[in-house]
Amino acid sequence: MKRLYRSNKDCMIAGVCGGIAEYFEIDPTIVRLIAVALIFGMGSGLLAYLVGAIIIPKNPY
């Protein structure tokens, strides 16, 4: 069973975008660009990132 974790190896700030990219098996740059577009476009991206950093557990491996 796949689980969503914050990334240990591919993290810039809290590892949320890296963890999402690992979960969906895509390039982390794409996830980061989407996050930046949401932050500057609608402002909801920052709130979503902060919630993700709090709720998503750190990868234990």
Side-chain angles (χ1 to χ4, degrees), residues 7-61:
S7 178
N8 287 333
K9 63 180 179 172
D10 192 19
C11 72
M12 294 286 235
I13 298 173
V16 175
C17 291
I20 292 171
E22 288 175 8
Y23 183 80
F24 289 111
E25 297 175 0
I26 58 175
D27 187 24
T29 306
I30 295 170
V31 178
R32 289 186 183 113
L33 288 173
I34 292 170
V36 168
L38 287 173
I39 289 170
F40 289 117
M42 296 183 289
S44 63
L46 183 61
L47 179 64
Y49 191 89
L50 290 174
V51 168
I54 293 169
I55 293 176
I56 300 172
K58 193 87 165 155
N59 192 347
Y61 307 111

